[in-house]
Amino acid sequence: PTWMVSGTQTFIVTVTATNGCLGSDEVTITINPNVDVPDGFTPNGDATNQTWEILNTAQFPEMTVQVFNRWGQLVFQAQNFSSADTNIGWDGTFKNQASPIGVYLYVTEMERANGNVEVLQGNVTLVR
């Protein structure tokens, strides 16, 4: 048999041998959705792509997002999102000033449904 699974689902599987013996077991399958991390954005006032947003974050309320400039200075941080948050975004500013064009490092930590903490890191390019 084939099933389409979303979220967490538990199945009871029963097998019958040719001699009539039965065996049964319970199987739980957990699907952990992934976040979507864009690699660039253009906060230039044209109303398109104004913030760098990590998508699909609502299922990770303990998620932390940090963005660093090339000197290792923390320019953006967000953590402990409410369950209503669907996107967490950086508007390309630091201390209320426009950050310069360039490549920034992001680091995220999120706890999966199974309790494992996953760290994602990469680069995001800011273009004006």
Side-chain angles (χ1 to χ4, degrees):
T2 303
W3 288 277
M4 295 298 291
V5 179
S6 63
T8 299
Q9 294 182 336
T10 301
F11 300 92
I12 297 175
V13 179
T14 303
V15 178
T16 305
T18 55
N19 65 1
C21 291
L22 293 173
S24 184
D25 201 356
E26 188 174 282
V27 177
T28 300
I29 299 173
T30 301
I31 303 298
N32 288 319
N34 291 318
V35 295
D36 182 13
V37 185
D39 59 1
F41 71 118
T42 58
N44 57 10
D46 68 357
T48 302
N49 204 22
Q50 296 301 293
T51 57
W52 176 72
E53 296 179 338
I54 298 179
L55 308 174
N56 302 323
T57 59
Q59 63 272 6
F60 305 109
E62 301 299 318
M63 184 177 189
T64 299
V65 178
Q66 296 177 313
V67 178
F68 299 90
N69 64 20
R70 66 171 125 180
W71 299 280
Q73 187 176 28
L74 180 65
V75 297
F76 173 77
Q77 180 171 337
Q79 59 190 22
N80 300 329
F81 316 140
S82 75
S83 61
D85 288 335
T86 56
N87 304 311
I88 301 303
W90 174 42
D91 64 1
T93 63
F94 176 57
K95 295 185 178 179
N96 297 318
Q97 299 292 317
S99 296
I101 292 171
V103 178
Y104 293 79
L105 171 71
Y106 71 83
V107 179
T108 69
E109 287 187 14
M110 61 187 151
E111 185 174 342
R112 295 285 186 177
N114 62 9
N116 291 338
V117 174
E118 184 174 340
V119 176
L120 300 174
Q121 64 182 28
N123 295 319
V124 56
T125 303
L126 186 156
V127 178
R128 294 206 184 270

